[in-house]
Amino acid sequence: MRFLRWLGAFFLMRWLRRGAPPVLPEAAEEDSSERIVPAGSKERRAENLVLVLLALAVLFAIGFIVTYAEFTSRQMPDEVLGIFLGGALVLIGAAFTVVAKRLVVTEEIEEEYPSQHPQEQEKIAEIIHQSGSRITRKRLLLTAGAGTGAALGVAALTPVLSLGPVWATGPLDETPWKRGVRLVDEEGRPILADDVVERTFYTAFPEGADPELLASPLVLIRVDPSKLRLPHARADWAPGGILAFSKICTHAGCAVALYRKPTFAAVEPGEALICPCHYSTFDPFTGGTVIYGPAGRPLPQLPLEIDSSGYLRAAGNYSARVGPGWWNVRSRPT
Amino acid sequence: MSSLRPSGRDGDRDPLLDPVRFIDQRTASAPLLRQVLRYLFPDHWSFLLGEVALYAFIVLIATGVYLALFFDDSTAKTVYHGFYSPLDGQTMSAAYKSVVDISLRYKAGLLIRQTHHWAADVFVAAIVLHLMRVFFTGAFRRPRELTWTVGLILLFTAFLEGYLGYSMVDDLLSGMGLAIGYGVGLSIPVIGGPLMLAIFGAPFPGNTHFWSRMFIMHVFVLPVLLATLIGVHLGLVAARHHTQFKESPRHTNRRLIGVPMFPGQAPRSLALMFFTVGILFLLGGLVQINPIWQWGPFEPWYGTNGAQPDWYLGWLIGALRLMPSFDVTISHFTLVPNPFWGGVLFPLLVLGVLMAFPWIERFITRDPSAHNLADRPRDHPNRTGFGVAFLSFVFLVFMFGAADRLFVLFGFNYNTQLTLFRIAIFVLPPLLFLLTRKICLELQASDAIEEMHEEAEEEGKEHERALLRT
């Protein structure tokens, strides 16, 4: 009776595990003498499936080559290339899945987790201790060695200083603006004050200077002069309501490339200069003060004047240093 | 197959023995090779996340080498007269032009470039998911703290590598990203200015050396570092073996139960590899990513609204945007410029907490023992609660990085979002800690009930059988 129950259980187990042939250590021993990897049942249909998947993968690979060869580069359908190459790879992946699930035996093996080796640890310490038996002033020698290493390390690192003008931070403050420099547009054409109209937004550069210097680009706007609330010292910085600010955000150095202007002034906030990176918002009427966002400093303002021919010129240098904050950025601009 | 595997007895030589003998005679590695073939892998799907990262890295190397054959790391100005007519006559850097050409001029170039980009996104995503798995199962504990630490350095190196990858293209978005990177670097107290001058060679946008520096970092230094870290990480995993879940009484802290590398695990891993690589190429072919020809070239005075970096830098954007407006100053010196908090301190804090966590947990739980069994998250309510709270904190910051997109998509007022997120990052994590802890404890309680239930059922059956026998 008990024997029959065991037999029933055994066949039930076999039946339940038919997907992945079970590997009981006993069964392996019975199966054939001294096998390492136990045998499983033959699966011809799975083999056929693998062959079909691989054949399809070959077709996809050929499809890739044909597509590559057939089209000119101007019309190359990269999506078709992707389908063929990615499809071939996925098919191979499917073939390996069949191999894993149906064509190799999945053994479940036990093993001890590796432990540590206290004896070896002691031996290592012993070897090191005993190797120093002829040395009397160990600490001194070790300190001397460490000191030498440190000195050599610092020496080896000094050439790093050649990477840039590290100590000479002057270039960070370089500005091409001074009294009399004419404002030009991106094509280098000088800007007439009369061409600058309200409710729009211009980018201007110093004539003849490198536009890529951070201090070069300006945002230029014209506002109603009666609305200006500039600091007293800047009373004459905005002739005819034309204002110029550095275009480089004082937060993280992006271009202040957005100009907010209310479409319905009664309910919407007033004109402002906004950096699209982190939405630092500067008030042009008060001289570029921060009214929103993370910037920690106002946008530097450039004083303007209009020359006898009507062109815009700088009337001096910025109100503050240009660009994102660093140690020395609040020093007086030179 | 059977014909290839004869018994190997009496003269009937096994042809497979020839290569094996060749290798062993020259390297004396047969015992090691045999050990490798029978190396045991515990069987659980979540253990495969790290493997996905590894395969994405292989794709990155392969596609990256191909791209490097076309990329030009120069900022010398050229005028574009190529296939893409909207950019015709546009002045641009040679770097940007070469990537536009890779995308539109060379056959299959776009496929390779987009696959490279997708692989980078998937690489970091797989590492992050893998990190979460390891955290919530306590697999970082002794004896695997070094594996954990190396993995974290690997992740942060991957952030930098990805950032440089899309920065050196010199399109509008990469320029904006570089400007922010420069601003964040400048904000490091006291040394920011000199440090950025050393890296960029000159004030932003830097001199020509900067472009060769970025290029050599992206295609050589950091990949070699990543490969080394991956090697060390895998070596450490192999030395201590994987953790395993306690699926049966036979799974113990000292006894590992698993599938051997060969023949059981190898085809599974290969299948996963081919699926990963295949899906990355399908993504590269079918799903557009960073169409740089549409953004146009970068100049420091250009910017655009709605620009988003790759997903894994979203948390930094969010942190920069969440900070209130202030610089820390001493007389006219700026000790801590604003971007430092979100761009430097925040990621370093996250890294520091994660790095120190194995030691923090050991200190709090006073448990110095070695653990080879992976925990179910519910069995450690405090750790799981902390993990969820910490993750939610970083995730909220990450989400705020997309606040402008949320505004465009759903019309949520940006200003309201700013206020809500500023409150939420402090309120939600503690609440989630308590909630998660509670859920864990409830799950434990229901486990206990279920166990009692099973025991009772077993007893009942036993009773029934006893009755039947009589």
Side-chain angles (χ1 to χ4, degrees):
Chain A
M1 195 58 208
R2 174 164 290 193
F3 173 74
L4 276 180
R5 200 177 290 152
W6 275 112
L7 203 66
F10 178 75
F11 279 112
L12 187 70
M13 288 278 287
R14 283 228 83 121
W15 184 75
L16 281 173
R17 287 230 195 157
R18 69 201 187 286
V23 188
L24 308 168
E26 301 85 0
E29 270 164 40
E30 279 168 19
D31 222 44
S32 67
S33 53
E34 295 149 27
R35 283 191 72 103
I36 305 174
V37 180
S41 59
K42 302 275 183 276
E43 292 260 17
R44 281 190 70 85
R45 286 176 59 189
E47 282 175 26
N48 290 340
L49 186 55
V50 169
L51 289 173
V52 169
L53 287 168
L54 290 180
L56 281 173
V58 170
L59 288 181
F60 271 66
I62 293 170
F64 181 84
I65 299 166
V66 170
T67 313
Y68 182 91
E70 274 301 300
F71 289 89
T72 66
S73 57
R74 209 177 267 267
Q75 295 152 337
M76 182 59 66
D78 280 89
E79 56 278 16
V80 179
L81 288 178
I83 289 172
F84 277 133
L85 189 54
L89 290 158
V90 168
L91 284 164
I92 297 172
F96 270 114
T97 310
V98 177
V99 172
K101 293 259 172 204
R102 309 260 309 266
L103 288 180
V104 296
V105 285
T106 302
E107 305 155 84
E108 212 182 58
I109 296 179
E110 291 181 10
E111 188 180 293
E112 289 280 300
Y113 268 110
S115 54
Q116 47 172 342
H117 317 89
Q119 285 184 336
E120 295 292 316
Q121 293 166 10
E122 278 165 26
K123 287 277 187 304
I124 291 172
E126 249 176 72
I127 291 171
I128 295 168
H129 280 308
Q130 291 170 2
S131 303
S133 61
R134 300 174 65 187
I135 302 168
T136 54
R137 287 172 296 171
K138 279 178 196 153
R139 185 156 296 173
L140 181 66
L141 281 174
L142 275 179
T143 315
T148 315
L152 198 66
V154 172
L157 283 177
T158 26
V160 168
L161 295 178
S162 311
L163 286 178
V166 176
W167 304 125
T169 52
L172 287 170
D173 302 322
E174 221 170 280
T175 164
W177 293 105
K178 54 180 190 279
R179 189 179 192 113
V181 175
R182 216 154 43 150
L183 275 66
V184 295
D185 66 11
E186 219 178 324
E187 269 76 51
R189 293 171 302 218
I191 298 170
L192 278 169
D194 287 345
D195 287 348
V196 177
V197 297
E198 268 186 50
R199 305 178 68 76
T200 187
F201 175 90
Y202 307 85
T203 302
F205 302 89
E207 191 172 35
D210 178 6
E212 285 200 348
L213 277 179
L214 271 195
S216 283
L218 296 176
V219 290
L220 198 62
I221 53 172
R222 185 198 280 268
V223 298
D224 180 355
S226 68
K227 286 193 201 156
L228 282 176
R229 283 162 285 125
L230 294 174
H232 276 298
R234 303 190 202 168
D236 55 350
W237 282 25
I242 301 178
L243 292 157
F245 296 95
S246 159
K247 202 179 174 180
I248 303 304
C249 184
T250 55
H251 175 236
C254 291
V256 178
L258 302 176
Y259 184 41
R260 179 178 80 193
K261 48 179 200 263
T263 43
F264 183 55
V267 295
E268 285 173 17
E271 283 101 324
L273 299 163
I274 303 174
C275 171
C277 283
H278 312 104
Y279 300 111
S280 289
T281 306
F282 305 93
D283 184 355
F285 298 99
T286 56
T289 49
V290 183
I291 50 174
Y292 190 77
R297 272 179 336 120
L299 212 51
Q301 188 182 355
L302 188 79
L304 293 179
E305 59 189 20
I306 300 169
D307 69 12
S308 50
S309 334
Y311 289 114
L312 284 171
R313 289 180 188 270
N317 205 345
Y318 286 111
S319 59
R321 291 188 174 182
V322 162
W326 62 287
W327 177 244
N328 221 1
V329 80
R330 279 179 166 80
S331 339
R332 235 165 247 273
T334 42
Chain B
M1 285 302 277
S2 58
S3 63
L4 280 174
R5 199 165 41 76
S7 59
R9 268 175 267 159
D10 325 310
D12 192 8
R13 269 170 54 88
D14 182 347
L16 243 183
L17 265 179
D18 289 339
V20 172
R21 193 166 290 151
F22 181 92
I23 293 168
D24 188 38
Q25 276 176 350
R26 279 147 193 88
T27 61
S29 59
L32 178 71
L33 281 178
R34 190 181 155 190
Q35 238 184 329
V36 169
L37 284 180
R38 303 304 272 175
Y39 178 86
L40 295 187
F41 289 84
D43 191 11
H44 194 269
W45 67 267
S46 68
F47 294 176
L48 301 178
L49 292 167
E51 269 189 62
V52 171
L54 176 67
Y55 303 139
F57 183 71
I58 293 172
V59 173
L60 283 167
I61 296 291
T63 51
V65 167
Y66 186 81
L67 294 173
L69 302 178
F70 299 92
F71 180 70
D72 186 348
D73 66 334
S74 146
T75 46
K77 295 274 184 249
T78 52
V79 178
Y80 182 77
H81 291 294
F83 284 9
Y84 189 63
S85 50
L87 282 179
D88 195 59
Q90 174 81 249
T91 306
M92 57 177 64
S93 66
Y96 179 60
K97 179 178 178 292
S98 71
V99 185
V100 173
D101 281 345
I102 288 172
S103 309
L104 303 175
R105 183 172 159 196
Y106 302 114
K107 287 182 171 187
L110 184 62
L111 173 68
I112 303 292
R113 212 200 102 223
Q114 294 197 140
T115 304
H116 189 72
H117 202 136
W118 272 114
D121 283 355
V122 169
F123 178 57
V124 183
I127 296 178
V128 170
L129 291 174
H130 174 64
L131 170 91
M132 280 155 62
R133 198 283 293 174
V134 169
F135 181 90
F136 285 112
T137 58
F140 53 80
R141 287 175 296 178
R142 183 176 279 181
R144 294 181 184 79
E145 310 97 314
L146 275 184
T147 324
W148 169 258
T149 316
V150 171
L152 280 168
I153 300 171
L154 182 53
L155 173 63
F156 277 70
T157 312
F159 289 147
L160 182 60
E161 173 71 343
Y163 171 69
L164 289 184
Y166 79 73
S167 289
M168 62 187 210
V169 175
D170 202 25
D171 63 307
L172 179 59
L173 295 192
S174 50
M176 289 171 74
L178 269 182
I180 298 172
Y182 174 77
V184 167
L186 271 188
S187 77
I188 298 171
V190 188
I191 61 159
L195 184 69
M196 285 301 104
L197 284 175
I199 292 174
F200 281 72
F204 187 76
N207 60 17
T208 54
H209 298 307
F210 174 59
W211 287 82
S212 359
R213 287 171 195 172
M214 254 205 300
F215 183 59
I216 204 70
M217 288 298 275
H218 181 74
V219 305
F220 178 71
V221 179
L222 292 180
V224 168
L225 179 62
L226 282 172
T228 312
L229 290 170
I230 290 174
V232 173
H233 191 76
L234 292 181
L236 286 168
V237 169
R240 286 280 138 207
H241 278 79
H242 291 68
T243 52
Q244 61 185 354
F245 284 108
K246 186 153 188 65
E247 285 166 356
S248 79
R250 285 166 55 227
H251 295 76
T252 70
N253 208 27
R254 306 192 54 184
R255 191 196 297 127
L256 163 71
I257 294 174
V259 180
M261 164 96 84
F262 199 83
Q265 184 65 28
R268 297 178 188 203
S269 288
L270 284 168
L272 184 66
M273 180 177 91
F274 279 101
F275 281 135
T276 308
V277 180
I279 288 167
L280 286 175
F281 272 100
L282 286 174
L283 283 170
L286 296 173
V287 188
Q288 187 179 67
I289 189 162
N290 199 14
I292 50 132
W293 54 93
Q294 288 178 11
W295 313 140
F298 175 72
E299 294 293 350
W301 58 90
Y302 289 160
T304 182
N305 200 9
Q308 291 282 312
D310 274 295
W311 76 269
Y312 48 83
L313 293 179
W315 59 315
L316 301 182
I317 285 262
L320 287 170
R321 285 179 176 170
L322 270 173
M323 275 312 292
S325 146
F326 68 89
D327 287 352
V328 179
T329 57
I330 305 177
S331 78
H332 73 277
F333 292 113
T334 310
L335 187 63
V336 190
N338 191 286
F340 177 77
W341 309 107
V344 184
L345 191 65
F346 169 61
L348 285 182
L349 215 68
V350 171
L351 177 64
V353 168
L354 290 174
M355 281 273 211
F357 196 81
W359 287 272
I360 296 174
E361 188 183 281
R362 192 185 308 159
F363 180 76
I364 293 175
T365 57
R366 298 174 193 283
D367 172 17
S369 54
H371 295 272
N372 290 320
L373 284 177
D375 293 324
R376 291 192 312 167
R378 68 183 66 170
D379 293 333
H380 281 259
N382 284 326
R383 180 205 298 141
T384 307
F386 174 79
V388 169
F390 192 68
L391 195 64
S392 69
F393 173 70
V394 177
F395 183 74
L396 281 169
V397 175
F398 170 85
M399 276 308 288
F400 189 71
D404 51 340
R405 295 283 88 197
L406 293 177
F407 168 66
V408 172
L409 288 174
F410 305 111
F412 299 151
N413 184 301
Y414 184 88
N415 206 7
T416 319
Q417 285 191 62
L418 180 68
T419 318
L420 285 179
F421 273 90
R422 278 183 182 164
I423 298 168
I425 57 167
F426 293 110
V427 173
L428 265 186
L431 285 181
L432 282 171
F433 172 77
L434 295 173
L435 183 70
T436 311
R437 229 177 138 264
K438 178 112 179 93
I439 293 174
C440 288
L441 293 172
E442 294 284 333
L443 283 171
Q444 280 182 26
S446 79
D447 279 355
I449 290 171
E450 203 161 293
E451 214 167 283
M452 274 163 63
H453 185 85
E454 268 169 26
E455 270 169 30
E457 228 167 52
E458 201 57 40
E459 232 169 80
K461 274 186 195 155
E462 201 65 38
H463 197 66
E464 213 171 290
R465 270 180 233 140
L467 277 176
L468 277 173
R469 256 183 243 139
T470 52

